[in-house]
Amino acid sequence: MFFETDTIAAISTPPGEGAISIVRLSGPEAVAIASKVFQSGTKDLTSAASHTIHYGHICDPQDHLLVDEVMVSVMRAPKTFTREDIIEINCHGGIVVTNQILRLLLRQGARLAEPGEFTKRAFLNGRIDLSQAEAVMDLIRAKTDQAAEMALGQLDGELSRRIKKLRQELLEALAEVEVNIDYPEYDDAEVMTTHLMKEKAKIVRKKIEELLDSAQQGKILREGLTTAIIGRPNVGKSSLLNFLLKEDKAIVTSVAGTTRDIIEEYVNLNGVPLKLIDTAGIRETEDEVEKIGVARSRKALKAADLILLVLNQSEALQPEDIELLEATQGTKRIVLLNKTDLPSRMEMEQLKQWIDPALLLPISVLTKNGLEKLAKKITNLFFAGQVGEKDATYISNIRHIRLLEEAQEALDDVMTGIDQGMPVDLVQIDMTRSWELLGEIVGESAPDELVTQLFSQFCLGK
Ligand SMILES: Nc1nc2c(ncn2[C@@H]2O[C@H](COP(=O)(O)OP(=O)(O)OP(=O)(O)O)[C@@H](O)[C@H]2O)c(=O)[nH]1
Ligand SMILES: [Mg+2]
C-alpha cells in the first residue's frame, strides 16, 4: 500500500568532500525524473531492468551543460528500501556538483525530502516497523561496535518479534474474555477467565521485566558508561585519561591544578564503551578559573554512571580524599590507588573504613602496573562479569523503556483488579491498555504525531 504520491529527493551522503556522493530519489516518478537529466550513448533509464546500474552523465536538460559523470542505480518497487521506485545517483563527491544534481532533480518535479522521510516511507509502506525504523537511526548514531550490533539486531526485527509474541499472549487472554461475555450461562466461565487472565498477566509481566533488566546494559553498551575521573589535584587523573585513550589528550604536569576544564572522550575498554571525563582536581581554591573547574568536577561526579576515584597512595590520606570517599558513597565507583611505583604512605586500614577492598585497585600510570585489571573491575560492577551477552541487549531506547514500564503497570492493575474481585470487563480494560502500549513500540498503535516526531530526528537523506 503506498501512502505517498510525490517523489522525494535528497543527498544521502554527508556534506563535504568525498570520493563519491549519492543523490537519492524515491517515489512513483523517480525513474522518469532521473531519465530527464541522465544521458548515455545508448541507454534509456525508463526501460532499464530493476536493480541494475548504468554509466552516463548528468546533464541540464535546459542548457545541455554537463554536470557530472555518474553511475545510476535503478531499483524498482516493491523490493526496495521504501518499497517505492528508487534511483541512486553516484556522482563525484563535492558540495557543488552534488547540490547541482539535486537542484536539477527538484526542477524536474521531485520534492526535497524531509529528514528521515525515506525511512518513514519504508515504515508507512509496511517494510519495517517503528522499532526497526528507530534501529536505522541508532545504527547511524552508533558510537561503538556493540551499539551497532544491537541496532542491527533490532533492525532485523528481533525486538519486534518479542513484542509481538507478548501481544499475542495478551490477545489470547482477551479473546477468552469475549467468549465469557458471549456465553455468560456457564457459571464457572468467569472464574476460569479471570484465572487465565491473571496467569497470562503474570507471564507477560515477567517477560517484560526481563526485557527491562537488559535495558540498563543496553543503554550502557549503546551510549557508553559515563565515567568521571575524580580526585584531588596532582593524583594522576589526566595521566590516567591519556593512558586509557592511548594518546596525550590532556595536559599533564607536576603542578597541582593543571586541568581546569572537563575533557570528554570515548574509549572502548575490553568491549565496554566508556565516555571518559577528566576533571579538575577537587580542592578549596581562590583561583577564579580553578573554582569554576572544581564546580564542574562536582557536577560531573553527580552525573556519572561510574566514578574512578584516584588517590595518590604515596601520600597519607588527605581531608579532600576523605571528602570524596564520602561523597561517592553509594555510587558505582572504583578507587584507584595511584603511584605504586613510589613508596606507600597510605594507611590501608584507615582506607578500608570507607571502601570495600574489592573496589580498590593499586596502579601506577607511570609504569602501567595494575591497569590491566581495571576493565575486569568495571564489568564486575555493571554486568556481573559478562559483557555483550547477545541475547540480553535488545532494549536500549528510552521510548521503548517507558512504554514497557507502562505496560507492566497496566498488568499490575490487571492482577490487583482480579485479586480484589473486580468484574472481568473492567480488568479487560487494563489488559487491553497493556496490549496497546506494547503495540506502540512496534508502531501498531502509534499515534501520527509520534511517527512524525520520531522521523524528524533523522538526518537528511535517510
Ligand atoms: N611517580 C608517578 N607519577 C605519576 C603517576 N601518575 C601520574 N604521575 C605524575 O603526577 C603528576 C600529576 O599528574 P596529572 O595527571 O597531571 O594529575 P591530575 O590529577 O590530572 O592533576 P590536576 O589536573 O592538577 O588535578 C604528573 O607529574 C605526572 O607525571 C604515577 O603512577 N607515578
Ligand atoms: Mg589533570
Side-chain angles (χ1 to χ4, degrees):
M1 191 194 330
F2 297 122
F3 290 81
E4 309 286 340
T5 52
D6 54 355
T7 295
I8 51 174
I11 300 168
S12 287
T13 38
E17 287 175 25
I20 56 165
S21 289
I22 297 175
V23 184
R24 184 149 70 160
L25 280 164
S26 177
E29 298 299 315
V31 181
I33 289 171
S35 71
K36 287 188 209 162
V37 300
F38 179 73
Q39 270 192 357
S40 105
T42 49
K43 276 180 209 129
D44 177 14
L45 285 185
T46 50
S47 57
S50 184
H51 292 79
T52 52
I53 189 159
H54 307 271
Y55 170 81
H57 291 87
I58 295 294
C59 180
D60 188 332
Q62 266 171 355
D63 54 21
H64 303 287
L65 284 178
L66 278 189
V67 178
D68 198 5
E69 183 188 26
V70 296
M71 296 292 285
V72 174
S73 306
V74 178
M75 288 162 280
R76 295 185 189 274
K79 285 193 174 170
T80 68
F81 180 58
T82 55
R83 285 204 170 161
E84 302 173 331
D85 285 350
I86 287 188
I87 290 284
E88 281 182 5
I89 301 172
N90 289 247
C91 58
H92 290 113
I95 302 166
V96 175
V97 169
T98 318
N99 274 324
Q100 268 177 357
I101 295 175
L102 178 64
R103 230 176 292 133
L104 275 183
L105 296 173
L106 298 180
R107 230 184 280 147
Q108 307 310 314
R111 170 171 68 72
L112 187 64
E114 288 159 20
E117 199 171 358
F118 289 94
T119 316
K120 185 177 179 180
R121 287 189 172 194
F123 166 67
L124 291 175
N125 291 331
R127 201 186 80 85
I128 54 175
D129 71 26
L130 206 53
S131 72
Q132 288 173 303
E134 287 172 293
V136 173
M137 183 156 56
D138 290 346
L139 195 59
I140 296 168
R141 293 190 180 159
K143 291 188 191 71
T144 62
D145 292 352
Q146 282 90 346
E149 201 176 301
M150 262 165 61
L152 214 57
Q154 191 173 319
L155 183 59
D156 193 35
E158 193 52 54
L159 175 65
S160 318
R161 277 193 286 279
R162 287 193 168 203
I163 297 291
K164 280 177 186 155
K165 237 193 240 160
L166 296 183
R167 293 188 88 213
Q168 185 57 32
E169 298 238 16
L170 292 179
L171 207 58
E172 280 166 20
L174 287 168
E176 196 70 19
V177 181
E178 294 302 324
V179 173
N180 180 280
I181 290 170
D182 290 346
Y183 301 95
E185 61 274 20
Y186 295 105
D187 285 346
D188 56 351
E190 174 143 0
V191 179
M192 277 183 53
T193 306
T194 51
H195 179 74
L196 180 95
M197 284 177 90
K198 194 171 169 186
E199 281 305 300
K200 284 282 184 198
K202 223 196 234 161
I203 293 170
V204 174
R205 195 194 184 287
K206 174 130 203 330
K207 289 187 180 155
I208 292 179
E209 200 172 296
E210 284 167 13
L211 280 173
L212 281 170
D213 279 347
S214 77
Q216 176 63 10
Q217 271 203 23
K219 178 176 176 286
I220 292 170
L221 291 178
R222 202 172 68 126
E223 291 168 18
L225 201 58
T226 305
T227 305
I229 307 176
I230 302 277
R232 66 185 168 83
N234 236 3
V235 291
K237 297 180 296 300
S238 301
S239 307
L240 177 68
L241 175 91
N242 289 347
F243 170 81
L244 293 172
L245 291 181
K246 301 190 180 83
E247 68 170 299
D248 284 337
K249 176 86 187 180
I251 300 172
V252 167
T253 72
S254 57
V255 179
T258 300
T259 305
R260 298 303 187 88
D261 207 348
I262 301 276
I263 300 177
E264 287 186 8
E265 275 295 327
Y266 283 91
V267 57
N268 188 333
L269 194 64
N270 293 10
V272 185
L274 304 182
K275 182 180 164 196
L276 276 179
I277 303 175
D278 181 26
T279 66
I282 293 180
R283 65 168 170 185
E284 286 301 318
T285 172
E286 288 310 310
D287 185 301
E288 278 299 309
V289 181
E290 198 181 348
K291 246 188 205 166
I292 299 170
V294 171
R296 289 190 180 175
S297 302
R298 292 189 190 280
K299 213 164 140 193
L301 188 156
K302 289 215 179 74
D305 300 317
L306 167 67
I307 289 160
L308 299 179
L309 175 56
V310 186
L311 304 178
N312 177 355
Q313 62 84 57
S314 74
E315 293 171 4
L317 214 51
Q318 309 283 311
E320 288 104 329
D321 295 328
I322 294 175
E323 189 219 320
L324 289 173
L325 281 164
E326 283 182 343
T328 55
Q329 209 75 259
T331 63
K332 300 248 189 204
R333 61 174 174 175
I334 293 167
V335 175
L336 299 168
L337 304 171
N338 192 27
K339 310 201 186 183
T340 51
D341 53 289
L342 301 173
S344 168
R345 291 210 181 76
M346 196 167 272
E347 287 282 346
M348 285 305 139
E349 282 313 307
Q350 193 193 357
L351 189 60
K352 281 172 191 166
Q353 293 174 29
W354 309 104
I355 181 138
D356 173 3
L359 298 174
L360 289 174
L361 183 64
I363 58 163
S364 166
V365 182
L366 190 75
T367 64
K368 304 184 173 44
N369 256 341
L371 284 155
E372 71 286 351
K373 299 201 184 84
L374 181 58
K376 186 74 194 151
K377 282 237 188 284
I378 295 176
T379 46
N380 281 345
L381 266 184
F382 285 89
F383 305 98
Q386 299 241 323
V387 190
E389 274 179 74
K390 272 201 181 155
D391 222 36
T393 49
Y394 296 129
I395 305 287
S396 55
N397 181 301
I398 298 293
R399 190 182 75 86
H400 300 168
I401 292 172
R402 194 180 44 74
L403 287 167
L404 283 171
E405 282 170 349
E406 285 177 25
Q408 203 176 26
E409 281 164 23
L411 291 177
D412 285 338
D413 292 346
V414 169
M415 289 189 277
T416 41
I418 290 171
D419 287 343
Q420 290 169 355
M422 257 206 241
V424 72
D425 45 343
L426 285 185
V427 179
Q428 184 192 15
I429 294 175
D430 288 323
M431 190 168 260
T432 308
R433 187 156 49 97
S434 185
W435 177 80
E436 281 170 356
L437 286 162
L438 291 176
E440 269 193 49
I441 294 177
V442 287
E444 280 178 19
S445 47
D448 286 352
E449 317 88 79
L450 171 77
V451 172
T452 309
Q453 187 246 330
L454 273 179
F455 285 103
S456 66
Q457 296 171 27
F458 273 70
C459 35
L460 216 65
K462 188 67 216 174

